[in-house]
Amino acid sequence: IESTPSIDKDPSRFPYLFDGPIRFSRHYSPTVGMLTNLGPDQRPYSTWKMYLRGVPLFFGDKHQGWNRNYKAAQSIFQGPTSIVVRSGIQAGHRMLYARNARNLFGVIDGFSDVAQLLHGGKSNHPDVGQFEHRIKPAVYTYIISSEDDSFRFSETGAAFFVDFASKHALHSNCAETVRYSGEFHPRPKGGWAAFSDDVQDHEVNWELVIDNNSGTYAPDKMLLPDLKEVLEYNFPEFEIYAWDREDPKLEESREACREYALKHRGVKKHELQPYAASGEETLSHRVSLGAQQVGEAGRRIFESVTGNGTGNT
């Protein structure tokens, strides 16, 4: 057994606090490969889960409940039809975060490990494939879970978000509370507008810009300094900026990120938001097929037990 002295100022306050290592899992989109059109525009999206260190040190007992003034959140958490809506989103969550042989698991030891997770990845498109090992200019949707303090995220434009009422609810598994939620994007020091691909990623300092842009949970902007400290504690190699969703600096930085992706990395404009390409099976469609199969199996079991082929009793 290896032990190290606590670095907490008041270790007695959280005697059983998780303090690392930061383990992660990468889950490849269940819709990848489910295409009738396997052309160069195939988009292999992923979801990530990281177990953050020391979240209670900064958030204490604060959690963010679902936004009762947001129509999409109301459809998920309120009213007689919400059970049906939640069951579909939860089925989608199970598919996105399922454990299987295709998952990637690892430990975050430093900047290079985080940077690798943010790389562009493989692509059949020649304009994109050449940046496979470069940090991708992309915007990510995230939640920090109330359940296990995990940091769950995926690209905001991922195809599997199509037809779901809430991207954040899909990541949270329809939890009524989260620690925090919103969007984030990586950027070279000073922003993407001043960057050139002639400069290698390891030659510049990197920043993470994170916000509270979540209609489903509408996190309190007064907790943005706590969010900043959580990420600084976990990713000290990154300069962290935590900005309110209405801050003009946020919109400027986010749009510069997307503009760089469009101009220099072969990203198409329609890929910036969730959409399904021609012939691409969506996650919501797979969920509905699964529900139909379960219903059909239940009907057959009922008929075998009752001996009633009509299903009437």
Side-chain angles (χ1 to χ4, degrees):
I1 298 176
E2 295 182 4
S3 64
T4 56
S6 174
I7 61 174
D8 300 342
K9 295 179 180 179
D10 185 8
S12 62
R13 185 183 175 198
F14 298 104
Y16 303 107
L17 179 71
F18 173 71
D19 198 36
I22 304 172
R23 301 187 182 277
F24 74 86
S25 58
R26 179 175 184 172
H27 307 256
Y28 292 94
S29 168
T31 62
V32 169
M34 298 296 176
L35 304 174
T36 57
N37 177 22
L38 295 176
D41 291 328
Q42 181 180 350
R43 300 165 297 144
Y45 289 111
S46 303
T47 52
W48 290 264
K49 179 187 283 190
M50 294 183 188
Y51 292 94
L52 298 180
R53 302 164 50 237
V55 172
L57 292 175
F58 308 98
F59 281 126
D61 60 358
K62 301 183 189 76
H63 299 262
Q64 308 298 299
W66 65 273
N67 183 4
R68 285 162 172 75
N69 297 317
Y70 189 56
K71 188 174 181 179
Q74 293 171 359
S75 71
I76 297 169
F77 298 107
Q78 184 175 284
T81 62
S82 63
I83 296 176
V84 177
V85 177
R86 281 199 306 275
S87 65
I89 296 175
Q90 289 168 336
H93 175 89
R94 289 192 295 271
M95 289 183 183
L96 285 181
Y97 286 96
R99 286 180 172 267
N100 57 54
R102 297 177 64 242
N103 294 163
L104 175 67
F105 299 90
V107 175
I108 300 296
D109 286 325
F111 168 80
S112 61
D113 297 314
V114 180
Q116 188 172 9
L117 296 182
L118 300 177
H119 282 172
K122 294 182 178 180
S123 173
N124 294 331
H125 200 291
D127 292 339
V128 179
Q130 62 178 312
F131 300 109
E132 177 181 345
H133 301 295
R134 301 295 301 268
I135 292 179
K136 184 178 181 179
V139 178
Y140 297 84
T141 295
Y142 80 91
I143 65 108
I144 300 177
S145 171
S146 287
E147 178 185 21
D148 57 9
D149 292 340
S150 63
F151 186 42
R152 308 173 190 173
F153 61 93
S154 64
E155 281 192 48
T156 298
F160 48 70
F161 284 137
V162 171
D163 296 333
F164 282 101
S166 165
K167 297 186 285 291
H168 290 102
L170 188 59
H171 280 300
S172 74
N173 197 25
C174 292
E176 293 200 0
T177 68
V178 295
R179 284 291 197 172
Y180 218 76
S181 60
E183 295 178 332
F184 75 88
H185 61 274
R187 70 178 193 180
K189 186 175 180 62
W192 286 101
F195 187 66
S196 169
D197 282 328
D198 294 335
V199 179
Q200 297 302 305
D201 289 354
H202 67 272
E203 296 175 337
V204 296
N205 294 324
W206 285 86
E207 304 168 341
L208 286 179
V209 177
I210 194 162
D211 62 45
N212 58 346
N213 189 23
S214 169
T216 302
Y217 296 103
D220 184 356
K221 66 180 180 181
M222 299 304 292
L223 297 181
L224 284 168
D226 300 317
L227 176 66
K228 181 177 187 293
E229 289 184 332
V230 167
L231 295 187
E232 289 174 338
Y233 187 74
N234 283 272
F235 311 119
E237 299 87 355
F238 284 84
E239 182 86 18
I240 307 297
Y241 293 93
W243 291 333
D244 180 59
R245 59 185 295 175
E246 297 181 356
D247 193 321
K249 297 192 301 293
L250 173 63
E251 182 177 1
E252 180 182 354
S253 180
R254 183 175 56 216
E255 292 310 307
C257 175
R258 288 171 168 162
E259 190 67 20
Y260 198 93
L262 294 171
K263 284 188 175 181
H264 304 288
R265 296 295 180 88
V267 174
K268 305 295 189 296
K269 191 168 185 177
H270 57 255
E271 295 179 34
L272 299 178
Q273 297 296 330
Y275 87 103
S278 177
E280 185 171 10
E281 182 187 36
T282 65
L283 181 62
S284 61
H285 183 248
R286 292 194 70 185
V287 166
S288 65
L289 288 179
Q292 291 174 14
Q293 292 170 357
V294 170
E296 180 63 22
R299 185 187 64 79
R300 290 197 297 268
I301 293 173
F302 176 83
E303 290 177 355
S304 67
V305 172
T306 62
N308 189 339
T310 65
N312 297 322
T313 59

